[in-house]
Amino acid sequence: MTRGRTSAALPKHAQISEMLIRDIAAGRLADGARLPPEREMAEQLGIAVGTLRKALETLSNEGLLDRVQGSGNYVRARGGVASIYSMLRLELKAGGGLPTAEFLGVDRLPKPPGVTAFGPSDAGWRFRRLRFLGGVPAALEEIWLDGAQAAEIAAEDVSESLYLFYRERLGLVILSAEDRVSFAPVPDWGDARFPPVAGAAAGYVERIARDSAGAPVEFSRTWFDADTVIYINRIGKA
């Protein structure tokens, strides 16, 4: 078990591209908006110009950016972009917010009783995390992966995106999910940095996630701070 450890960080250029993709989806960067000059933007973000250019190349490849020689970089907003966090439905109320996470525990345990069946094993890998959005403590996450998907999981190998870890390390692609959103009491295993105290009502999401064959392989529950975070699901074109 590992506690109080920040998840393996995404490369800096990937963090910046994900932040920009989420800002475009949230409307914080409007269609047609011209980004600041690259050197100025890199300085604002505290990164090298080369790192920024790698991030912008990702957006360009996804059709989210027009890079006009001698003029600048222009946002081209559209839906359905396959980003690392495309299945994360939580955003700051102001929109977007770069996701990061800190592990509160990783264990192989018997699956919890009373939940929708997911996978053939009686055991599961349980991940508990504190989720941040834009550096703000936003949610508590408890994710259960079917134990048949991995005999061993080294906590230090897990990235800030579990679905990226599944794909790259386990060969598992999460293709679809069903979310059920309601309210529920905050669990007693939480972290003092998460504003709602244990037992207080918080936004709540239960998810069953399915692999590329449509089989359920993951069950998760997320408690989020409804004062600062919203659950949002965009459908069709913005």
Side-chain angles (χ1 to χ4, degrees), residues 25 77-81 233-238:
R78 67 180 184 85
V81 176
N233 186 18
R234 296 180 177 87
I235 300 171
K237 287 189 175 183

Side-chain angles (χ1 to χ4, degrees), residues 170-234:
L170 306 182
L172 170 64
V173 176
I174 299 296
L175 198 60
S176 64
E178 176 183 301
D179 287 353
R180 299 191 175 196
V181 185
S182 60
F183 288 89
V186 173
D188 59 8
W189 53 261
D191 188 283
R193 289 167 293 175
F194 182 63
V197 298
Y204 179 69
V205 184
E206 280 194 1
R207 168 175 288 186
I208 289 290
R210 299 175 181 273
D211 64 14
S212 56
V217 292
E218 182 199 69
F219 167 79
S220 67
R221 38 197 171 198
T222 299
W223 297 260
F224 63 92
D225 180 11
D227 287 337
T228 58
V229 173
I230 57 172
Y231 177 95
I232 186 164
N233 186 18
R234 296 180 177 87

Side-chain angles (χ1 to χ4, degrees), residues 14 48 71 145 160 215:
S71 179
L145 175 66
E160 287 173 339

Side-chain angles (χ1 to χ4, degrees), residues 35 56-57 59-60 63-67 73-76:
L35 297 181
L56 297 181
E57 182 179 359
L59 268 67
S60 179
L64 290 174
L65 200 69
D66 283 345
R67 309 187 73 181
N73 297 308
Y74 295 85
V75 171
R76 291 292 174 257

